[in-house]
Amino acid sequence: MQVQQIEPTLGNPLDLLMNTTMNRIEKNWSPLYAPSSDTIRLSRTIEPHEVVDCSLTSGVCWQVAVTSLATVFEKLRVQFAPSFHLGTNTIRLDDGRLLGLLHAVQRGKKHYTSLVYVLQAALPHRILAIGRRPLQLPLGQVDHGFVYTSSLFRAGNDVIVGYNVRDRTASLKVVPLKMLLDDLEVVS
């Protein structure tokens, strides 16, 4: 995983490394926010939900919280897919909670199902709610294929979802924030 400083100037990408064992491939870390000017807080995994802080100068990361909703995710695996990963950055809601998108992955297929989730505002950043239904995103000019969500941006009462279809498009969809919140099921 790499992070590149954009402001105030472009810098070289910084490799993020856990101070513990890492998997061979780790690419779905999700930015939560920056607790200080030289540290970024990220979700490393969704289940268990592992939260890490990383130095923006050295790239060294350390675990700051772990919570689990194993029984909730077992039900979701039966309903949607066997594997869940983080999908987008989070955005802050008016009450301080964080909203993001995770994706369920069908094994052996390029098929992703995106679900909204909400995290507690402060550590340990427990998962509080998960969407009941997958987020539906239009395919546009591409008639079929997988849709992969990549970013979220809050625009007043709307959320702009960045995504791609079959790794061939750069697409945006404006979704009313209320629609996302109304679909949530409280899980803790």
Side-chain angles (χ1 to χ4, degrees):
M1 176 81 183
Q2 290 187 327
V3 65
Q4 184 172 4
Q5 183 178 346
I6 303 297
E7 293 181 25
T9 60
L10 288 174
N12 292 325
L14 180 66
D15 287 324
L16 300 181
L17 302 169
M18 286 297 297
N19 61 358
T20 60
T21 304
M22 289 180 68
N23 297 323
R24 187 174 66 83
I25 298 174
E26 293 203 20
K27 59 183 180 178
N28 290 317
W29 294 21
S30 177
L32 299 176
Y33 58 91
S36 68
S37 63
D38 63 347
T39 305
I40 188 167
R41 180 158 294 157
L42 304 120
S43 288
R44 181 180 178 204
T45 60
I46 195 68
E47 179 50 38
H49 184 226
E50 181 181 8
V51 178
V52 299
D53 280 354
C54 300
S55 165
L56 291 173
T57 54
S58 70
V60 173
C61 303
W62 56 96
Q63 185 181 83
V64 294
V66 177
T67 58
S68 179
L69 290 171
T71 54
V72 170
F73 276 91
E74 280 306 313
K75 290 176 188 173
L76 291 172
R77 283 182 184 95
V78 170
Q79 185 177 1
F80 294 111
S83 180
F84 285 88
H85 302 278
L86 296 156
T88 67
N89 58 293
T90 58
I91 55 172
R92 195 164 295 279
L93 300 174
D94 294 340
D95 61 7
R97 295 177 303 159
L98 302 168
L99 180 140
L101 290 174
L102 58 86
H103 61 264
V105 182
Q106 296 287 343
R107 278 204 172 66
K109 299 179 185 176
K110 281 274 191 166
H111 179 76
Y112 302 101
T113 300
S114 296
L115 295 170
V116 175
Y117 69 96
V118 171
L119 299 175
Q120 185 178 44
L123 281 174
H125 298 299
R126 270 185 212 293
I127 299 170
L128 301 174
I130 298 176
R132 291 181 184 92
R133 292 179 300 264
L135 182 61
Q136 299 299 312
L137 297 168
L139 298 177
Q141 300 292 329
V142 181
D143 61 353
H144 69 285
F146 64 91
V147 174
Y148 185 86
T149 55
S150 56
S151 61
L152 294 177
F153 181 80
R154 174 97 184 256
N157 292 325
D158 294 320
V159 175
I160 300 171
V161 178
Y163 67 100
N164 68 65
V165 180
R166 296 182 64 197
D167 284 335
R168 293 195 171 115
T169 69
S171 303
L172 298 173
K173 180 175 181 176
V174 178
V175 181
L177 177 59
K178 182 177 180 346
M179 184 184 95
L180 298 176
L181 297 175
D182 287 348
D183 188 52
L184 292 171
E185 181 174 340
V186 175
V187 293
S188 67

Short mmCIF file of all heavy atoms in Angstrom, two decimals, residues 3 9 25 44 49-50 53 56 65-66 74 83 85 104 112-113 116 122 126 131 136 140 149 154 163 173 183 185:
data_model
loop_
_atom_site.label_atom_id
_atom_site.label_comp_id
_atom_site.label_asym_id
_atom_site.label_seq_id
_atom_site.Cartn_x
_atom_site.Cartn_y
_atom_site.Cartn_z
N VAL A 3 0.92 5.70 -0.09
CA VAL A 3 0.18 6.95 0.04
C VAL A 3 1.09 8.04 -0.53
O VAL A 3 2.31 8.00 -0.37
CB VAL A 3 -0.21 7.24 1.50
CG1 VAL A 3 0.99 7.46 2.38
CG2 VAL A 3 -1.16 8.43 1.59
N THR A 9 2.57 20.11 -1.58
CA THR A 9 3.22 19.84 -2.87
C THR A 9 3.21 18.35 -3.11
O THR A 9 3.06 17.55 -2.18
CB THR A 9 4.67 20.33 -2.87
OG1 THR A 9 5.38 19.66 -1.84
CG2 THR A 9 4.78 21.83 -2.69
N ILE A 25 -0.24 -9.60 -0.30
CA ILE A 25 -0.87 -8.50 -1.02
C ILE A 25 -1.84 -7.79 -0.08
O ILE A 25 -2.71 -8.42 0.49
CB ILE A 25 -1.64 -9.01 -2.25
CG1 ILE A 25 -0.67 -9.67 -3.24
CG2 ILE A 25 -2.41 -7.87 -2.93
CD1 ILE A 25 -1.36 -10.33 -4.40
N ARG A 44 -7.69 -1.19 7.98
CA ARG A 44 -6.85 -2.14 7.24
C ARG A 44 -7.66 -3.33 6.75
O ARG A 44 -7.46 -3.80 5.63
CB ARG A 44 -5.71 -2.60 8.14
CG ARG A 44 -4.76 -3.56 7.48
CD ARG A 44 -3.66 -3.98 8.42
NE ARG A 44 -2.77 -4.94 7.80
CZ ARG A 44 -2.03 -5.79 8.48
NH1 ARG A 44 -2.05 -5.79 9.80
NH2 ARG A 44 -1.26 -6.64 7.84
N HIS A 49 -12.52 -5.76 12.03
CA HIS A 49 -12.26 -4.39 11.63
C HIS A 49 -11.01 -3.91 12.36
O HIS A 49 -11.03 -3.66 13.57
CB HIS A 49 -13.45 -3.48 11.94
CG HIS A 49 -13.23 -2.09 11.46
ND1 HIS A 49 -13.50 -0.99 12.24
CD2 HIS A 49 -12.76 -1.62 10.28
CE1 HIS A 49 -13.19 0.10 11.56
NE2 HIS A 49 -12.74 -0.26 10.37
N GLU A 50 -9.92 -3.82 11.61
CA GLU A 50 -8.64 -3.39 12.17
C GLU A 50 -8.36 -1.96 11.75
O GLU A 50 -8.41 -1.63 10.55
CB GLU A 50 -7.50 -4.30 11.69
CG GLU A 50 -6.17 -3.91 12.26
CD GLU A 50 -5.02 -4.78 11.78
OE1 GLU A 50 -5.23 -5.62 10.87
OE2 GLU A 50 -3.91 -4.59 12.29
N ASP A 53 -2.87 3.43 12.56
CA ASP A 53 -2.32 4.76 12.32
C ASP A 53 -1.00 4.57 11.61
O ASP A 53 -0.25 3.62 11.90
CB ASP A 53 -2.09 5.52 13.63
CG ASP A 53 -3.37 6.13 14.19
OD1 ASP A 53 -4.42 6.07 13.52
OD2 ASP A 53 -3.30 6.68 15.31
N LEU A 56 3.23 9.52 8.21
CA LEU A 56 3.38 10.03 6.85
C LEU A 56 4.82 10.38 6.51
O LEU A 56 5.13 10.75 5.38
CB LEU A 56 2.47 11.23 6.62
CG LEU A 56 0.97 10.91 6.60
CD1 LEU A 56 0.14 12.17 6.54
CD2 LEU A 56 0.63 9.97 5.45
N ALA A 65 -6.78 -0.24 17.01
CA ALA A 65 -8.04 -0.84 17.47
C ALA A 65 -8.40 -2.03 16.59
O ALA A 65 -8.08 -2.06 15.40
CB ALA A 65 -9.17 0.18 17.43
N VAL A 66 -9.09 -3.00 17.22
CA VAL A 66 -9.65 -4.15 16.49
C VAL A 66 -10.99 -4.47 17.12
O VAL A 66 -11.10 -4.59 18.34
CB VAL A 66 -8.74 -5.40 16.57
CG1 VAL A 66 -9.41 -6.58 15.86
CG2 VAL A 66 -7.39 -5.15 15.99
N GLU A 74 -20.91 -13.47 8.98
CA GLU A 74 -21.29 -14.82 8.54
C GLU A 74 -22.62 -14.79 7.79
O GLU A 74 -22.78 -15.41 6.75
CB GLU A 74 -21.36 -15.79 9.72
CG GLU A 74 -20.01 -16.30 10.16
CD GLU A 74 -19.20 -16.91 9.03
OE1 GLU A 74 -19.74 -17.74 8.25
OE2 GLU A 74 -18.01 -16.55 8.90
N SER A 83 -16.43 -13.25 0.59
CA SER A 83 -15.30 -12.41 0.98
C SER A 83 -15.69 -10.94 0.97
O SER A 83 -16.33 -10.47 0.03
CB SER A 83 -14.15 -12.67 0.00
OG SER A 83 -13.04 -11.89 0.33
N HIS A 85 -14.22 -6.84 1.55
CA HIS A 85 -13.05 -5.96 1.59
C HIS A 85 -13.51 -4.52 1.69
O HIS A 85 -14.62 -4.18 1.32
CB HIS A 85 -12.21 -6.14 0.31
CG HIS A 85 -11.76 -7.53 0.10
ND1 HIS A 85 -10.66 -8.05 0.73
CD2 HIS A 85 -12.26 -8.52 -0.67
CE1 HIS A 85 -10.50 -9.31 0.35
NE2 HIS A 85 -11.46 -9.62 -0.49
N ALA A 104 -18.28 -6.84 -1.41
CA ALA A 104 -18.28 -8.29 -1.30
C ALA A 104 -17.75 -8.83 -2.62
O ALA A 104 -18.11 -8.34 -3.69
CB ALA A 104 -19.69 -8.79 -1.05
N TYR A 112 -18.34 -7.55 -7.87
CA TYR A 112 -18.30 -6.89 -6.58
C TYR A 112 -19.70 -6.38 -6.24
O TYR A 112 -20.39 -5.86 -7.09
CB TYR A 112 -17.35 -5.69 -6.63
CG TYR A 112 -15.94 -6.05 -7.00
CD1 TYR A 112 -15.48 -5.84 -8.29
CD2 TYR A 112 -15.08 -6.59 -6.07
CE1 TYR A 112 -14.17 -6.17 -8.64
CE2 TYR A 112 -13.77 -6.93 -6.41
CZ TYR A 112 -13.33 -6.71 -7.70
OH TYR A 112 -12.05 -7.03 -8.04
N THR A 113 -20.07 -6.56 -4.98
CA THR A 113 -21.32 -6.03 -4.47
C THR A 113 -20.96 -4.97 -3.43
O THR A 113 -20.27 -5.28 -2.46
CB THR A 113 -22.16 -7.15 -3.82
OG1 THR A 113 -22.43 -8.14 -4.80
CG2 THR A 113 -23.44 -6.61 -3.25
N VAL A 116 -23.08 -0.06 1.89
CA VAL A 116 -22.77 1.08 2.74
C VAL A 116 -22.51 0.57 4.16
O VAL A 116 -23.13 -0.40 4.60
CB VAL A 116 -23.95 2.07 2.76
CG1 VAL A 116 -23.71 3.21 3.73
CG2 VAL A 116 -24.21 2.60 1.37
N ALA A 122 -15.30 7.82 17.08
CA ALA A 122 -14.03 7.75 17.81
C ALA A 122 -13.56 6.30 17.93
O ALA A 122 -14.31 5.36 17.67
CB ALA A 122 -14.22 8.34 19.21
N ARG A 126 -15.99 1.24 15.90
CA ARG A 126 -16.84 0.06 15.68
C ARG A 126 -17.75 0.26 14.48
O ARG A 126 -18.21 1.36 14.22
CB ARG A 126 -17.76 -0.15 16.87
CG ARG A 126 -17.23 -0.99 17.92
CD ARG A 126 -18.26 -1.25 19.01
NE ARG A 126 -17.57 -1.38 20.26
CZ ARG A 126 -16.75 -2.37 20.55
NH1 ARG A 126 -16.57 -3.33 19.69
NH2 ARG A 126 -16.12 -2.42 21.69
N GLY A 131 -25.55 -1.50 5.18
CA GLY A 131 -26.68 -1.41 4.26
C GLY A 131 -27.38 -2.74 4.08
O GLY A 131 -26.74 -3.79 4.05
N GLN A 136 -26.80 0.22 -6.13
CA GLN A 136 -26.94 0.00 -7.57
C GLN A 136 -26.29 1.15 -8.33
O GLN A 136 -26.66 2.31 -8.14
CB GLN A 136 -28.43 -0.09 -7.95
CG GLN A 136 -29.16 -1.24 -7.28
CD GLN A 136 -28.57 -2.59 -7.66
OE1 GLN A 136 -28.35 -2.87 -8.83
NE2 GLN A 136 -28.32 -3.42 -6.66
N GLY A 140 -23.51 2.52 -17.65
CA GLY A 140 -23.21 3.51 -18.68
C GLY A 140 -23.12 2.88 -20.05
O GLY A 140 -23.95 2.05 -20.42
N THR A 149 -16.37 0.27 -6.72
CA THR A 149 -16.40 1.62 -6.13
C THR A 149 -15.01 2.00 -5.65
O THR A 149 -14.27 1.17 -5.12
CB THR A 149 -17.40 1.69 -4.98
OG1 THR A 149 -17.09 0.68 -4.02
CG2 THR A 149 -18.82 1.51 -5.48
N ARG A 154 -18.57 14.03 -0.06
CA ARG A 154 -19.81 14.61 0.47
C ARG A 154 -20.03 15.96 -0.18
O ARG A 154 -19.16 16.82 -0.18
CB ARG A 154 -19.68 14.76 1.99
CG ARG A 154 -20.83 15.48 2.66
CD ARG A 154 -21.84 14.52 3.24
NE ARG A 154 -22.98 15.21 3.79
CZ ARG A 154 -23.21 15.39 5.08
NH1 ARG A 154 -22.37 14.92 5.98
NH2 ARG A 154 -24.30 16.02 5.48
N TYR A 163 -16.63 5.39 -9.23
CA TYR A 163 -16.54 3.95 -9.51
C TYR A 163 -16.08 3.72 -10.94
O TYR A 163 -16.03 4.64 -11.75
CB TYR A 163 -17.87 3.26 -9.24
CG TYR A 163 -19.00 3.62 -10.18
CD1 TYR A 163 -19.34 2.79 -11.24
CD2 TYR A 163 -19.74 4.79 -10.00
CE1 TYR A 163 -20.39 3.12 -12.10
CE2 TYR A 163 -20.78 5.12 -10.85
CZ TYR A 163 -21.10 4.28 -11.89
OH TYR A 163 -22.13 4.60 -12.75
N LYS A 173 -21.66 8.85 -9.61
CA LYS A 173 -23.11 8.87 -9.41
C LYS A 173 -23.39 9.70 -8.17
O LYS A 173 -22.74 9.52 -7.13
CB LYS A 173 -23.67 7.46 -9.23
CG LYS A 173 -25.18 7.50 -9.02
CD LYS A 173 -25.81 6.14 -8.96
CE LYS A 173 -27.32 6.29 -8.78
NZ LYS A 173 -28.01 5.02 -8.81
N ASP A 183 -31.27 3.06 4.33
CA ASP A 183 -31.09 1.64 4.01
C ASP A 183 -30.26 0.90 5.06
O ASP A 183 -30.09 -0.30 4.97
CB ASP A 183 -30.44 1.49 2.63
CG ASP A 183 -30.43 0.05 2.17
OD1 ASP A 183 -31.49 -0.59 2.18
OD2 ASP A 183 -29.33 -0.45 1.83
N GLU A 185 -28.94 -0.98 8.41
CA GLU A 185 -29.43 -1.84 9.49
C GLU A 185 -28.41 -1.76 10.62
O GLU A 185 -27.21 -2.02 10.41
CB GLU A 185 -29.56 -3.27 9.02
CG GLU A 185 -30.09 -4.19 10.08
CD GLU A 185 -30.37 -5.58 9.56
OE1 GLU A 185 -30.53 -5.75 8.33
OE2 GLU A 185 -30.43 -6.50 10.37
#
